[in-house]
Amino acid sequence: MAVQDVMTTDGKRSMFSIAALRESHRVGDRTRIAALVIALLVIGSVFSLLFSVTTGASDASMFDVLANLGGQADALTTRDRIIIFDIRMPRAILGFLVGGSLAVSGAVMQGLFRNPLADPGLVGVSSGAGFGAVIMIVLGGSIAMPVFNLLGIYALPLAAFGGGLVTTLLLYRVATSNGQTSIGTMLLAGIALGALTGALTGLLTYMANDQQLRDLTFWGMGSLAGATWMKIAAAAPIILASYIVLPFMARGLNAITLGEAAAFHMGVPVQRLKNIAIVTVAAATGASVAVSGGIGFVGIVVPHVLRMVIGPDHRYLLPASALLGGSLLIFADVLARTIVAPAELPIGIITAAVGGPFFLWILLRQRSRLAL
């Protein structure tokens, strides 16, 4: 096995093997498993969408919906078409986009920080994005009116993107020293940033009027109840744009598992990769929070489960995370709106009930590596 002796950025010599990464891919290669899993997830995603739009008070079945989409107009009654295409379908599509973006954001952050505990919700990125959205809700009719008028339907997701971006940059700045990112510092800094943005959000909530308070209630625990085609039009371009850059980050995230110095000498532009990853996470998380509120733990559960099945190769992990995250959030939303029907649970309660114990399990597995 070829070993290269190279000079690191701080002037010290470091021994590492470029062949080690290739060797690690050959030993326990899960390419076929990953391809099979992704194919199954594609099928599962279609099923989850159909299951969501046909679950509830309407009597329409999956076959009726498919027949209507295939051009058979009389397959659905007028009432069923309104329920499915104006209420349930926007909700299902928005849930798929939000779940996929949160899962992908978690996978990117875990790859960048090289730790399965990284997650936009846990380290304060989601709370920063929520703060940006709350600024636009409370101040959009006064101080921020020119911005709101200029950006239109994109004002809310772009404000959330800005809040998430600033929080992510601060987090990375605080947690990184001499080219090394401290996971303990990252988690503690995330708690501090989450508390700060929470306090500022509380201040704006105190200033809000009755109408704004009703809108802000939406952010408390997350929900897809307000899903509309207009919200999809506002969030989908930002989320889909973040997906476009994923294939270009996969190789760099794979290389960075060997360390930043090793990745640099393998030809990976490490600093540019960090910048792209930070902007991607902020964009995806910000747009998601803007239309769904705070939904936690999707970004930590989904990538970790997939790593146990298909391995850590980000070429497969990132698209698989998008598919599984979207499907899981759709099923969580169906459970949230049917478990106490005709009332509805906030979807954040469902994801927290599942993600909380899962996070504790990961923490127990990783405690020997965490020097907290």
Side-chain angles (χ1 to χ4, degrees):
M1 183 180 298
V3 177
Q4 295 190 5
D5 185 10
V6 298
M7 188 73 70
T8 62
T9 55
D10 60 359
K12 299 178 181 179
R13 302 188 73 80
S14 173
M15 299 288 290
F16 72 93
S17 171
I18 291 182
L21 185 60
R22 298 172 185 170
E23 186 68 23
S24 67
H25 286 302
R26 286 195 296 267
V27 179
D29 185 14
R30 302 186 190 179
T31 301
R32 292 183 179 178
I33 295 176
L36 176 61
V37 168
I38 290 176
L40 292 175
L41 287 175
V42 171
I43 298 173
S45 299
V46 175
F47 173 79
S48 67
L49 288 167
L50 289 173
F51 179 72
S52 177
V53 300
T54 55
T55 300
S58 172
D59 295 328
S61 67
M62 289 187 185
F63 300 104
D64 294 332
V65 174
L66 289 174
N68 184 268
L69 291 174
Q72 187 176 340
D74 59 350
L76 295 174
T77 65
T78 302
R79 172 180 173 272
D80 287 341
R81 279 197 295 270
I82 293 174
I83 292 174
I84 289 174
F85 293 109
D86 293 341
I87 299 174
R88 291 187 189 164
M89 190 166 288
R91 184 166 181 155
I93 293 175
L94 189 65
F96 188 82
L97 288 172
V98 169
S101 68
L102 292 176
V104 165
S105 297
V108 170
M109 289 194 71
Q110 290 165 21
L112 186 65
F113 289 110
R114 303 192 295 280
N115 192 281
L117 297 179
D119 168 72
L122 293 174
V123 297
V125 178
S126 294
S127 60
F131 174 60
V134 169
I135 289 177
M136 192 56 61
I137 290 175
V138 177
L139 303 180
S142 55
I143 298 176
M145 177 65 80
V147 177
F148 193 85
N149 292 335
L150 176 65
L151 299 177
I153 63 172
Y154 295 101
L156 197 59
L158 287 177
F161 162 69
L165 178 61
V166 171
T167 305
T168 307
L169 291 172
L170 286 174
L171 173 69
Y172 188 81
R173 178 66 177 172
V174 171
T176 303
S177 177
N178 297 323
Q180 299 296 321
T181 300
S182 169
I183 301 303
T185 303
M186 178 193 69
L187 293 175
L188 294 174
I191 293 172
L193 289 173
L196 177 60
T197 53
L200 295 174
T201 299
L203 177 62
L204 289 174
T205 302
Y206 178 78
M207 298 167 53
N209 57 38
D210 290 342
Q211 177 61 45
Q212 292 167 346
L213 284 175
R214 284 194 290 271
D215 293 335
L216 292 175
T217 302
F218 167 78
W219 301 103
M221 290 172 283
S223 175
L224 297 174
T228 62
W229 291 113
M230 186 70 71
K231 286 188 176 181
I232 293 176
I238 299 176
I239 294 175
L240 295 177
S242 68
Y243 286 169
I244 293 175
V245 304
L246 295 181
F248 303 99
M249 289 195 296
R251 173 180 171 270
L253 290 173
N254 284 342
I256 212 169
T257 58
L258 296 175
E260 293 185 7
F264 175 78
H265 291 287
M266 291 174 66
V268 176
V270 176
Q271 191 57 48
R272 186 170 65 183
L273 174 66
K274 292 178 184 177
N275 296 336
I276 294 174
I278 288 172
V279 172
T280 300
V281 168
T285 304
S288 299
V289 170
V291 294
S292 68
I295 298 176
F297 292 105
V298 175
I300 194 171
V301 171
V302 171
H304 195 81
V305 169
L306 287 171
R307 281 192 185 89
M308 293 189 292
V309 178
I310 66 176
D313 191 337
H314 288 84
R315 294 176 300 171
Y316 309 108
L317 181 63
L318 295 179
S321 294
L323 293 170
L324 182 58
S327 298
L328 285 182
L329 195 62
I330 285 178
F331 283 118
D333 180 57
V334 171
L335 184 62
R337 61 184 171 86
T338 57
I339 193 172
V340 292
E344 180 177 322
L345 282 176
I347 194 171
I349 293 178
I350 304 295
T351 59
V354 175
F358 191 87
F359 174 71
L360 289 175
W361 176 68
I362 296 176
L363 187 62
L364 290 174
R365 291 190 61 189
Q366 297 289 321
R367 60 182 175 182
S368 61
R369 294 174 52 193
L370 294 174
L372 292 177

